[in-house]
Each structure stands twice: as C-alpha cells, then as structure tokens.
Amino acid sequence: MLSTKLCGIKLDNPTILASGILGVTASSLINAANNGAGAVTTKSISLEERKGHSNPVIVTFEGGMINAVGLSSPGIENGIEEVKEFKKRSKTPIIASIFASKTAEFGEAAKRISEAKPDLIEVNISCPNVEAEFGKLFAADAKVAASVTEIVKNSTKIPVFVKLSPNVSNIKEIAKAVEAAGADGITAVNTAGPGMVIDIKTAKPILHNKMGGISGAALRPIAVRCVYDIYETVKIPIIGTGGITNGRDAVEMLMAGATAVGIGSGVYYRGIDVFKKVCSEIEEFMKKEGYKNLKEIIGKAHEN
Amino acid sequence: MKTEQPIVLQIKKIVNEASKIKTFIFDYRLDSEPGQFINLWIPRFDEKPFSISYQDDKKFAVTVACIGPFTEKMCSLKEGDLVGIRGPYGKSFNLKGKNIVLVGGGCGCGPLAFLADEAVKKKINVNFIIGARTKDALLFLERMKKSNIKTFVTTDDGSFGVKGFATDLLKDFLEKNHIDAVYSCGPEKMMKKVAEMCKNKKIYCELSLERYMKCGFGICGQCCMDDSGFRVCTDGPIIQGEEALKLKEFGDYRRDASGKKVKL
C-alpha cells in the first residue's frame, strides 16, 4: 500500500531519513532503517575531512529547529567505508549525500562515492550554513546549479538527485535548469532562512555560527509550496522534505507532488521511530479515505 | 512550549576539588537524576556535555577537569560569571538492591557521588572505590566520608590509598562480599573491565558512556556507537554493562567531531 519508486529503486514506504540527521555512521543509518525509514540519506560527505562549527550547532524554537552544524564530514575515504558497511548490513536503499566547495570537486566526490554503490546520490548545493566559507549558494543560481548537476552526471552512472534551497526567488527556474542538465530527481528543500536566536540575558546569538537553517513546522508550508511549484515545472521525481512530523504532513507533501518524503527534525519531535509512526498514520488516512496506493495521492493537489 | 535553548545562570560558587579539577555550583533547581548530563554553554565559545556531580532542592553542580580548550576556558571563569545550561539530558542510573559498589575513575567520580547521595537517602549500603592517578587528583573523599559512605581509594602511583587500579580493588571486593549491583564511570578501558567482571559473576552493572556530542538530544548522530547505532545522548549515557559489551566500539574506538574513527 505504501510502496513507492524513485528512478526504478523500490522503497517499501515513502519516508526517507533526511540528510544531516543521524547520518554520520552506517550503524546509525541502520538504526533509522530498523525504525521504519523506507530509505536513508547520509550526512553530506566531502572530499576533505571537516570538523564543522563549534557548539551549539542546533537550537529549537516554538516553530521548529535552527541548525548550523557546518558540514562536518569524516572525508571521502571514511564516507565510502560507512556507505559500504551500510550496504553490507542492510537492504534498505541508501542515498549518499555529497557536497563540495568548488564545482569540479562535486564531480570528484560523486565519482569516489560511487565506489560504495549507493542506490542514489544526492547533491547538496544548498547548505545555508557555510556561506561565509564558500560564498553564495550553488543553488541560488540556475546556471551554477546546472553546471554542478552536469559535472556530477558525467562522473557517475548512479541516479542523481539535486537538493534545492527554498531561499530563492524562483525555484521553478532552478528546477528546470537542473532537470535540463540531467538530474534524475530533485530533493526539495534544504533548510530556510538562515534564522537566528539570541539569548537575551547575555545578548549573544546562541548558535556558534550565529545563524542557521530553519527546519520543522516553520519550514513546512514553504517546502510544500516549493514542491508544488517544482512538480508543475519538471517531470523528474521529487523527494519532499521540510517539517514533516506526522502522517497528515506526509500526505500533504505527496499531494503537492512528492514521490517520497524526507524526515529530519521529526526525529526530535516524535523519536527515532517517527518513520513507523508516520507510515501507520498515512495508512490509516488512506484506508479511511479509500485510497489504494500512493499513486492516487501523489500530485493530487494539482487536479482542478 | 519546551525549547532547546540554554538557561543562563550565574556561577554561584567555585570549589577547588583537586589539582586542576573544579566544581561549579549553581543556585538552580535542576531536578535531574544521577547519571544525567547538561550541556554547558560558554557564550560565543563552545558547548560541551557534563554530568551532574551534586544536586539538592536548591542547587546543582558539575565537576570539571581542566584538560582541554573548553575546560581550560571554564576553569578561567569566576564566581558571578554567566554560563548557559541545556538539559538535563539522557538516561539515569537505576539503583538496585541493598548493597552496591561504585567504581569511579578520575572525573568519573562526579555522577557517582551524586548517585551515592541518592543511594544513602534510600538506605542502600554504598561502597565507593575512588580511583585517581595521584593523590592530587583524588575527588570527593571528604564529602563521601561525611555522608557515612564507605570509601576505598586507589591511586595509580600509590601516593594515597592502595597502589593500583580501581578494578583490582573491585575484583577483591566481589570475591569477599555479596554485592547486588555495581555502577561505574571513568576511563572506558576501566569500565570495560568492570563490565566483564560483573558479567562473569552475574552481578547487575551499569556504566556511564562518553562520546563526542553535538546536539545532546538525539538527532545529529555524532555520538552513535557501532553496531547498534546506540545514541549515547538519549539511549545513554547510562547503559547496562552487558549491553555495553555488545557495542563493537566499546573500549576500542570512538568518533571525533568530523565523524572519523579514533582509537581509544
């Protein structure tokens, strides 16, 4: 009832552990899979080892969560090992997230991570937390986003999803550009903002990076709108990510046009078994409303 | 609505416990359980997890060894300075039986001292093996004696108490006495020995694990241990000895801030 397909890869259910959450090690990814995730995504892996920002890296507020982990990564060799280890121990599809600071390096990272044979590669061109380091987002410019996509596509035979940022004036334009450049799918969206929380007693921003990407409830309506816009523009599948914590949120995202849904901060709000919970809630809704499969739901909000 | 934002507190009192080890006392009702931890935030500097070493209705304390950039900074702070706390986080110790042994190594004695206080309130007989490298690094001896807790001291160099390791004393203890449960916190290799001894003798045992943490509330994935993906911040830091022995990396390696494996 809940199965779905992304570029020919079958998922038992549409919930995917989003990148950046519990994704540092194979063991942790397997823990998410054992708790019901239909697929899992690694934390973004870079060629070089990176420590990320100092703590605090995550803070929550009434409307969700703000994070600036700063793309910590054990480096490509260790990243390959973790993906291989996951493949050895689990049948759940794994998406390897990669990022780089230069366009050419994305190709190298894609080529290297392909050695571990992940089921999909997700290209993170939209992390808002390292702008000071890397300058403008790759995802903010259609031409740049397309050229990263093209380089990655030329470096691997594994299907490539490009993760877009909601912090752009016209996401349709970016989506169209990455599709034209050969992307096999789109993950929408990365965190919004960036936002900031200041401690008023010390008058200091709490996050060490001062600002960070917003996820959770505040991001959800923005993510739904982005997915809705992208679905109208491209033919490739979309992983809809942003503030999904329950079955209702997941169904909403599917109706906007997502083929599968990413869950990240939901792990904090409902525990690591959030995947199982969301799945049973989707199923309950489908039975009540008479839906037989996800195909009947995906993109339904676009019908007049 | 509960949010994971630091509560900023004044450092009420600083006590020099031993050489380069200080206890920071705060006037704040924390309502934590022994074994739980807080994230201690030095604004615009960094944030790290620390176990609670003392708690009553009005106060709590953490005990810090000045050994790295964060703890050196912490130890340079003065009474009246402001720091933030988040938590309490994590699972706590579970007291079992009527006659227990605590095995502490270095700063690991912190959460055990808090546990000892709670055990005494419940009329449990507490035997506390306090291990330290040298006499200068010895923790909580006077405080525990005042509470009528039976203390046994070992130092690596023999400068105080019995020369040797806390585990040597534990071995002897378990052979000569009927013990219901053992609780340990300290260097991981020491805790591994404790867990193995207790497993062999079929004695209930709990340990306090430590791994590099970023969030402290179960989502960043930095403190997850192989092979089960055990999240030290939320599934731990307290774990049953037998469960710890099932973790492949226990006593062997950990991961650093980047996620790379590092030998213990």
Side-chain angles (χ1 to χ4, degrees):
Chain A
M1 190 177 201
L2 292 185
S3 70
T4 190
K5 255 186 181 178
L6 286 172
C7 304
I9 291 139
K10 190 177 172 267
L11 275 60
D12 288 341
N13 73 69
T15 66
I16 298 177
L17 173 73
S19 183
I21 305 291
L22 294 175
V24 180
T25 69
S27 297
S28 180
L29 291 162
I30 288 166
N31 194 13
N34 291 341
N35 277 284
V40 296
T41 316
T42 68
K43 184 162 174 57
S44 294
I45 299 162
S46 58
L47 290 175
E48 303 295 324
E49 180 189 334
R50 296 169 51 87
K51 274 172 63 185
H53 297 311
S54 292
N55 285 341
V57 294
I58 308 179
V59 66
T60 67
F61 69 109
E62 300 73 14
M65 188 172 278
I66 309 187
N67 89 81
V69 177
L71 291 171
S72 54
S73 161
I76 196 75
E77 298 296 340
N78 293 309
I80 290 168
E81 284 313 304
E82 297 291 350
V83 175
K84 277 186 179 166
E85 174 77 10
F86 181 93
K87 294 288 291 180
K88 207 161 72 186
R89 285 167 51 197
S90 175
K91 288 198 163 58
T92 302
I94 180 168
I95 304 167
S97 174
I98 54 165
F99 91 96
S101 53
K102 295 186 191 78
T103 309
E105 282 176 12
F106 272 102
E108 180 64 14
K111 189 178 152 197
R112 293 298 319 277
I113 205 69
S114 299
E115 292 170 23
K117 300 189 172 64
D119 298 274
L120 296 171
I121 291 175
E122 184 173 278
V123 190
N124 180 5
I125 57 169
S126 47
C127 176
N129 299 326
V130 288
E131 278 198 38
E133 207 174 333
F134 299 148
K136 201 179 157 194
L137 285 181
F138 293 95
D141 184 304
K143 272 186 198 151
V144 177
S147 71
V148 172
T149 307
E150 208 176 320
I151 281 171
V152 171
K153 276 300 289 177
N154 289 336
S155 308
T156 182
K157 290 192 171 75
I158 293 166
V160 172
F161 273 60
V162 180
K163 189 164 185 178
L164 300 187
S165 169
N167 312 325
V168 295
S169 54
N170 187 350
I171 200 162
K172 289 183 176 182
E173 185 189 87
I174 317 277
K176 205 178 249 175
V178 301
E179 183 187 47
D184 300 285
I186 286 170
T187 304
V189 289
N190 210 314
T191 52
M196 184 185 285
V197 179
I198 296 168
D199 172 67
I200 60 169
K201 201 159 174 183
T202 55
K204 305 245 189 294
I206 296 170
L207 291 177
H208 192 78
N209 188 50
K210 296 184 182 174
M211 57 193 76
I214 299 170
S215 61
L219 175 61
R220 203 180 70 241
I222 300 171
V224 170
R225 186 267 304 162
C226 287
V227 168
Y228 189 93
D229 274 355
I230 295 166
Y231 185 81
E232 287 196 331
T233 316
V234 302
K235 293 204 160 50
I236 50 179
I238 306 161
I239 299 172
T241 302
I244 294 168
T245 55
N246 57 44
R248 191 220 77 92
D249 300 343
V251 169
E252 180 188 32
M253 192 62 94
L254 295 166
M255 286 180 169
T259 300
V261 298
I263 296 178
S265 49
V267 171
Y268 167 73
Y269 292 102
R270 297 193 70 195
I272 193 168
D273 57 348
V274 61
F275 307 98
K276 278 182 189 160
K277 288 173 181 161
V278 168
C279 286
S280 73
E281 287 156 5
I282 298 173
E283 209 169 302
E284 199 180 312
F285 170 82
M286 288 171 72
K287 280 178 184 156
K288 204 172 153 198
E289 299 294 323
Y291 290 108
K292 288 187 178 56
N293 57 59
L294 292 185
K295 272 191 187 149
E296 296 171 4
I297 296 176
I298 295 166
K300 195 170 169 64
H302 295 264
E303 294 168 8
N304 284 320
Chain B
M1 186 183 180
K2 183 184 169 268
T3 59
E4 306 297 348
Q5 290 181 19
I7 294 162
V8 172
L9 302 173
Q10 234 178 20
I11 299 168
K12 190 67 186 176
K13 202 174 170 209
I14 301 173
V15 179
N16 287 310
E17 295 282 2
S19 162
K20 296 192 95 182
I21 301 175
K22 292 183 181 186
T23 292
F24 296 82
I25 301 165
F26 300 90
D27 271 356
Y28 180 79
R29 184 176 172 147
L30 186 66
D31 285 328
S32 74
E33 303 278 338
Q36 286 191 297
F37 67 94
I38 53 160
N39 276 353
L40 197 64
W41 177 47
I42 302 177
R44 306 306 313 140
F45 187 74
D46 207 342
E47 184 194 50
K48 298 274 175 203
F50 292 93
S51 311
I52 314 303
S53 59
Y54 177 83
Q55 181 180 279
D56 61 29
D57 289 348
K58 295 189 183 77
K59 297 191 290 288
F60 78 91
V62 293
T63 301
V64 176
C66 316
I67 48 161
F70 184 87
T71 49
E72 298 274 357
K73 179 84 176 172
M74 190 67 201
C75 290
S76 75
L77 298 181
K78 302 199 163 44
E79 290 173 358
D81 283 349
L82 296 177
V83 295
I85 63 153
R86 299 204 274 180
Y89 293 136
K91 300 265 194 293
S92 58
F93 286 112
N94 301 286
L95 284 169
K96 307 236 181 211
K98 287 285 155 209
N99 192 25
I100 65 171
V101 181
L102 313 183
V103 187
C107 256
C109 291
L112 295 178
F114 178 16
L115 180 69
D117 290 340
E118 292 301 304
V120 166
K121 279 184 205 162
K122 292 183 174 167
K123 303 204 167 21
I124 295 169
N125 184 44
V126 181
N127 307 282
F128 196 162
I129 302 173
I130 300 175
R133 271 175 290 106
T134 76
K135 186 186 171 189
D136 295 341
L138 203 55
L139 284 175
F140 308 124
L141 187 58
E142 292 312 311
R143 181 179 140 196
M144 292 295 109
K145 276 184 179 168
K146 264 185 219 160
S147 307
N148 290 321
I149 288 160
K150 295 184 192 77
T151 54
F152 308 85
V153 175
T154 66
T155 49
D156 298 359
D157 62 358
S159 53
F160 195 94
V162 178
K163 182 177 182 341
F165 299 118
T167 43
D168 301 336
L169 219 59
L170 176 68
K171 189 166 180 256
D172 201 39
F173 219 95
L174 295 182
E175 268 161 23
K176 290 177 184 158
N177 301 276
H178 176 79
I179 300 299
D180 296 315
V182 174
Y183 302 88
S184 183
C185 182
E188 201 158 300
K189 287 187 190 294
M190 176 196 90
M191 291 196 293
K192 190 168 183 178
K193 270 191 196 161
V194 170
E196 281 164 350
M197 268 182 218
C198 290
K199 190 183 173 190
N200 290 339
K201 293 215 169 271
K202 297 191 170 58
I203 295 169
Y204 184 82
C205 164
E206 285 182 356
L207 316 169
S208 177
L209 296 173
E210 186 174 66
R211 280 296 177 275
Y212 196 97
M213 286 181 196
K214 289 191 174 176
C215 69
F217 39 88
I219 63 161
C220 76
Q222 204 70 33
C223 68
C224 297
M225 290 177 72
D226 294 338
D227 272 341
S228 67
F230 183 89
R231 293 174 292 173
V232 173
C233 67
T234 39
D235 302 326
I238 307 307
I239 184 171
Q240 283 189 29
E242 292 206 27
E243 293 305 309
L245 291 171
K246 287 180 198 161
L247 296 170
K248 190 175 85 181
E249 68 177 76
F250 177 59
D252 187 17
Y253 64 91
R254 61 182 182 84
R255 282 180 172 81
D256 66 8
S258 75
K260 189 183 64 186
K261 287 177 192 172
V262 182
K263 272 274 181 197
L264 283 178

